[in-house]
């Protein structure tokens, strides 16, 4: 078994220049976006390193459970880390290794003798292994990106605006789920405490759909402001939303509601006994 | 109110200050303070402390009100998967709860209270377990993990 | 054992800054004492300052609500002031919104709310409005 691997390694090593050349040609054709994203020189140097480490790993005498390609994996991971997945498709990244597979297969068929054709079976499983590895890294990278974006979104999602003396405004945008409500309330209550603001305006203009769940979160937030001792005004209650709220049987009668932020602000000024000008 | 010796009929436990007999309302306050101290040293936020100490208050009160003060609470610091947490066990030798699911309903009360004690405590903490045997007593365990 | 909670008479109102940790029976005693003071002074307003209260559970919450309702029956409006944000969030978790309770951020705002709630205006109120700010 390892004899065959050694023989393959030998053939690959002898024809290394030609092999690299054929691989890089294929890369240019099949992974155009990837090449332009990473840069041709970078692709060239990585493909050379990957090929060297690949040939090298064939020469090692290993037991079945040892990872033959540990070194190659490190290189691949490093390579993928450079890619911006906003621009490059997964398929091209996977093609990076599949093009090497086709180059190596072509070469071996050309150099073919009896035992080499047997090794082609091995070849398939090796490249499948590496392909799956690349796929898993791609997905992992993308998921961590999504997680990061989510976190960033959570951080900026609850701004508290000091609209005027004693008046705070919290613009609610997008989905209002329970974890965001919780975070929003903490921020709001903190601000009410810090600035001793007497009015908190919750503006729901940016919330596309208000269902019972969202309404319940709103009531909780408004109750929170009230328990602290501040008045809570809900603004941005458009015609469509007021219809839904009544049809759903949501009772907001305990709170001041206004259709526009401007109206809400005017009311807030009145409550705090202030005038602009 | 009749105070009963708590530990006589039980296997002797290593004596530590984390076991607090709950016989009266002063003991409830003591339990609250102990939990707060431990949570503080474990690095819980002020909000988490307030939430859990409130739950402790509800559960310890239940021992005084519903089990005639025949019970105790045990506080311990715990660790799982590199996460630190606190565990509070409330044991009583009261009359037990016939229908636990009913007792967990918001607004259910046998003592003319708001009926938020048990259901509220459940809402307040991350992990909540209750076991009750009619005629023997009730055991409630709550756990809270430090958020990172 | 009941640790005395100070009950201050200020003008037509009564101010109760709770500075000790109350348990169930001491909370009841406090309620009793407050109502007796309202009766004795014929007060029209009651301000309960909870800014130093770290825990409001369902029992203490109910005592506050009940005290307000009882005071109302005796002709006094109640404002609870200075509730901590952790306490607020915990009360909502508990399911206690205290809908009918008047609240204010601090004693000063509490007095101006009382002024609006009670039709009669006491000249004394203004003089003490800066007296006690929220303490922790």
């Amino acid at each position: 078994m390892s004899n065959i691997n050694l023989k393959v390694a030998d053939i690959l090593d002898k024809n290394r220049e030609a092999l690299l050349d054929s691989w890089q040609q294929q890369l240019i054709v099949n992974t155009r976006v990837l090449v332009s994203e990473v840069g041709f020189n970078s692709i060239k140097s990585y493909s050379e390193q990957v090929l060297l480490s690949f040939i090298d790993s064939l020469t090692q005498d290993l037991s079945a459970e040892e990872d033959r390609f540990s070194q190659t994996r490190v290189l691949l991971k490093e390579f993928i880390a450079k890619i911006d997945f906003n621009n490059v498709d997964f398929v091209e990244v996977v093609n990076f290794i599949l093009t090497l597979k086709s180059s190596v297969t072509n070469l071996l068929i050309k150099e073919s003798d009896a035992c080499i054709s047997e090794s082609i079976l091995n070849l398939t499983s090796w490249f499948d292994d590496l392909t799956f590895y690349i796929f898993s890294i791609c997905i992992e990278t993308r998921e961590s990106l999504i997680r990061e974006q989510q976190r960033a979104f959570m951080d900026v999602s609850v701004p508290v605006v000091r609209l005027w003396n004693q008046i705070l405004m919290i613009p609610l945008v997008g989905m209002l789920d329970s974890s965001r409500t919780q975070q929003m309330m903490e921020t709001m209550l903190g601000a009410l405490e810090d600035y001793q603001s007497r009015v908190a305006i919750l503006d729901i203009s940016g919330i596309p759909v208000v269902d019972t769940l969202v309404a319940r979160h709103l009531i909780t937030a408004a109750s929170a402001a009230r328990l602290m001792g501040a008045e809570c005004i809900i603004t941005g209650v458009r015609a469509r939303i007021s219809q839904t709220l009544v049809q759903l049987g949501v009772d907001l009668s305990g709170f001041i509601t206004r259709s526009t932020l401007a109206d809400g602000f005017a009311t807030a000024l009145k409550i705090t006994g202030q005038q602009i000008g | 109110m009749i105070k009963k010796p708590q530990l006589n009929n039980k296997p002797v436990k290593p004596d530590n200050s984390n076991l607090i007999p709950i016989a009266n309302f002063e003991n409830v306050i003591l339990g609250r303070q102990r939990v707060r101290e431990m949570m503080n040293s474990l690095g819980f936020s002020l909000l988490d402390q307030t939430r859990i100490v409130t739950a402790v208050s509800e559960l310890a009160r239940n021992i005084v009100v519903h089990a005639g003060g025949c019970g105790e609470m045990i506080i311990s610091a715990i660790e799982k998967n590199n996460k630190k947490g606190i565990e509070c066990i409330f044991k009583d030798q009261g009359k037990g709860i016939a229908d636990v699911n009913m007792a967990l309903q918001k607004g259910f009360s046998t003592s003319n209270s708001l009926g938020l004690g048990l259901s509220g405590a459940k809402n307040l903490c991350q992990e909540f377990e209750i076991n009750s045997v009619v005629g023997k007593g009730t055991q409630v365990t709550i756990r809270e993990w430090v958020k990172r | 054992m009941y640790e005395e909670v100070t009950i201050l008479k200020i003008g037509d109102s009564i101010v109760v800054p709770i500075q000790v940790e109350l348990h169930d029976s001491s909370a009841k005693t406090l309620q009793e004492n407050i109502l007796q003071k309202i009766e004795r002074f014929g007060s029209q307003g009651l301000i309960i300052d909870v800014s130093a209260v770290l825990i409001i559970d369902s029992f203490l919450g109910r005592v506050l609500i009940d005290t307000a309702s009882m005071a109302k029956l005796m002709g006094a409006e109640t404002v609870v002031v200075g509730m901590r944000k952790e306490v607020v969030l915990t009360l909502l978790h508990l399911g206690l919104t205290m809908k009918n309770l008047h609240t204010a951020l601090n004693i000063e705002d509490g007095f101006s709310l009382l002024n609006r709630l009670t039709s009669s205006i006491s000249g004394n109120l203004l003089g003490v409005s800066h007296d006690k700010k929220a303490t922790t």
Side-chain angles (χ1 to χ4, degrees):
Chain A
M1 186 70 180
S2 68
N3 271 339
I4 299 173
N5 289 353
L6 281 175
K7 198 163 180 184
V8 173
D10 193 44
I11 294 173
L12 296 187
D13 198 41
K14 268 186 200 143
N15 299 286
R16 211 173 63 218
E17 292 300 318
L19 186 59
L20 203 56
D21 198 49
S22 118
W23 184 19
Q24 285 165 358
Q25 289 305 322
Q26 286 203 58
L27 282 175
I28 293 169
V29 178
N30 292 314
T31 65
R32 203 176 299 150
V33 184
L34 180 65
V35 172
S36 68
E37 168 77 14
V38 184
F40 186 62
N41 286 336
S42 186
I43 284 263
K44 236 171 133 174
S45 102
Y46 267 107
S47 53
E48 198 169 341
Q49 288 178 55
V50 168
L51 183 59
L52 281 175
S53 86
F54 181 77
I55 297 173
D56 187 48
S57 42
L58 295 187
T59 61
Q60 282 160 27
D61 193 20
L62 300 171
S63 65
E65 59 270 20
E66 273 176 285
D67 180 11
R68 180 173 293 283
F69 297 113
S70 56
Q71 203 197 340
T72 316
R73 281 180 221 275
V74 172
L75 280 169
L76 287 173
K77 192 165 186 174
E78 198 182 308
F79 172 64
I80 294 171
K82 291 194 179 242
I83 300 168
D84 178 358
F85 282 97
N86 290 319
N87 305 329
V88 183
D89 201 74
F90 277 6
V91 177
E92 291 212 345
V93 185
V94 176
N95 256 329
F96 177 76
I97 205 73
L98 288 180
T99 46
L100 175 60
K101 178 186 181 178
S102 92
S103 297
V104 171
T105 318
N106 285 336
L107 176 70
L108 287 181
I109 287 171
K110 219 165 27 181
E111 301 283 322
S112 170
D113 62 40
C115 58
I116 289 293
S117 58
E118 189 190 326
S119 76
I120 296 209
L121 281 173
N122 282 339
L123 208 66
T124 314
S125 80
W126 293 335
F127 278 103
D128 284 352
D129 181 15
L130 287 176
T131 309
F132 279 125
Y133 181 67
I134 287 195
F135 238 119
S136 71
I137 294 187
C138 286
I139 289 169
E140 201 179 286
T141 313
R142 172 147 288 190
E143 292 207 321
S144 77
L145 190 74
I146 291 172
R147 271 196 300 274
E148 232 166 74
Q149 285 172 337
Q150 248 169 358
R151 209 171 306 132
F153 181 66
M154 286 292 275
D155 285 344
V156 298
S157 64
V158 202
V160 173
V161 185
R162 285 185 74 190
L163 211 54
W164 206 259
N165 186 27
Q166 299 193 336
I167 301 172
L168 292 181
M169 196 265 283
I170 299 104
L172 300 174
V173 179
M175 288 285 294
L176 194 62
D177 58 15
S178 52
S179 76
R180 279 190 68 196
T181 310
Q182 196 62 29
Q183 206 210 352
M184 182 263 281
M185 288 198 296
E186 282 177 43
T187 320
M188 176 181 74
L189 296 184
L192 286 174
E193 204 172 66
D194 290 348
Y195 304 128
Q196 296 283 298
S197 300
R198 280 168 56 193
V199 179
I201 299 178
L202 292 176
D203 184 60
I204 60 168
S205 306
I207 295 184
V209 183
V210 176
D211 54 16
T212 35
L213 202 63
V214 171
R216 199 186 310 152
H217 291 320
L218 264 180
I219 291 174
T220 311
S223 310
R226 167 158 305 174
L227 273 174
M228 281 281 286
E231 198 65 61
C232 185
I233 303 176
I234 299 172
T235 65
V237 185
R238 290 150 287 161
R240 173 67 63 77
I241 290 183
S242 75
Q243 283 170 316
T244 338
L245 286 175
V246 171
Q247 277 155 9
L248 290 172
V250 176
D251 182 17
L252 285 178
S253 63
F255 305 102
I256 303 171
T257 52
R258 293 286 184 270
S259 68
T260 61
L261 179 58
D263 276 352
F265 182 46
T267 311
L269 286 171
K270 211 178 284 172
I271 289 173
T272 53
Q274 300 179 92
Q275 272 181 326
I276 298 181
Chain B
M1 189 166 298
I2 306 156
K3 290 185 196 175
K4 292 186 184 170
Q6 297 304 312
L7 298 171
N8 288 355
N9 50 356
K10 299 199 144 208
V12 181
K13 287 206 173 152
D15 178 47
N16 54 24
S17 57
N18 291 337
L19 191 155
I20 303 162
I22 303 292
N24 54 40
F25 294 125
E26 270 100 6
N27 297 150
V28 176
I29 297 287
L30 181 68
R32 279 163 43 164
Q33 285 164 351
R34 286 280 158 74
V35 171
R36 188 181 280 280
E37 281 160 22
M38 185 178 281
M39 288 187 82
N40 201 18
S41 68
L42 286 170
F44 280 97
S45 73
L46 193 54
L47 175 58
D48 289 341
Q49 291 178 30
T50 308
R51 220 161 25 80
I52 298 309
V53 175
T54 306
V56 166
S57 186
E58 303 288 351
L59 295 169
R61 161 178 310 105
N62 279 350
I63 296 180
V64 180
V65 175
H66 297 293
C70 299
E72 65 204 23
M73 63 179 285
I74 302 157
I75 315 166
S76 26
I78 48 175
E79 206 171 323
K80 189 176 82 181
N81 302 334
N82 280 329
K83 279 195 301 186
K84 282 183 180 167
I86 184 168
E87 180 186 78
C88 306
I89 303 174
F90 301 83
K91 281 187 209 170
D92 69 50
Q93 291 86 51
K95 54 188 183 296
I97 302 168
D99 188 342
V100 171
N101 286 330
M102 175 90 102
L104 282 171
Q105 299 277 310
K106 192 176 162 182
F108 177 83
S109 173
T110 54
S111 61
N112 189 31
S113 68
L114 290 173
L116 292 174
L118 212 49
S119 70
K122 185 168 185 271
N123 277 342
L124 286 172
C125 35
Q126 290 170 355
E127 289 180 29
F128 180 97
E129 286 159 23
I130 180 164
N131 280 302
S132 190
V133 180
V134 173
K136 286 235 162 135
T138 305
Q139 174 165 337
V140 179
T141 305
I142 63 172
R143 274 175 226 104
E144 185 80 12
W145 304 96
V146 181
K147 295 188 195 86
R148 269 184 288 182
Chain C
M1 193 187 76
Y2 172 63
E3 278 185 82
E4 195 76 31
V5 176
T6 324
I7 301 179
L8 307 163
K9 176 185 177 296
I10 297 171
D12 281 347
S13 301
I14 277 179
V15 178
V16 186
I18 303 179
Q19 305 279 355
V20 298
E21 191 159 8
L22 292 171
H23 56 67
D24 291 17
S25 42
S26 55
K28 280 292 200 189
T29 312
L30 176 61
Q31 180 181 65
E32 179 86 35
N33 291 352
I34 290 173
L35 295 173
Q36 274 170 12
K37 286 272 160 66
I38 292 178
E39 182 186 313
R40 187 179 332 149
F41 301 129
S43 313
Q44 293 180 3
L46 166 62
I47 289 180
I48 304 177
D49 179 7
V50 294
S51 58
V53 177
L54 300 179
I55 300 291
I56 298 184
D57 61 9
S58 67
F59 187 86
L60 189 52
R62 174 157 192 200
V63 169
L64 289 175
I65 296 171
D66 287 353
T67 309
S69 311
M70 293 164 183
K72 178 106 179 169
L73 285 174
M74 298 172 71
E77 292 287 351
T78 303
V79 181
V80 173
V81 305
M83 201 180 286
R84 288 164 167 261
K85 61 172 190 284
E86 295 82 16
V87 172
V88 168
L89 291 167
T90 301
L91 282 176
L92 294 172
H93 263 292
L94 259 182
L96 212 57
T97 48
M98 307 230 206
K99 250 184 171 170
N100 301 315
L101 208 61
H102 295 294
T103 52
L105 288 163
N106 47 46
I107 291 193
E108 190 177 341
D109 284 0
F111 270 113
S112 54
L113 179 56
L114 270 188
N115 265 335
R116 272 181 278 142
L117 291 171
T118 56
S119 44
S120 70
I121 294 156
S122 165
N124 284 345
L125 288 182
L126 298 168
V128 292
S129 54
H130 304 287
D131 200 44
K132 271 225 156 203
K133 266 261 165 181
T135 48
T136 42

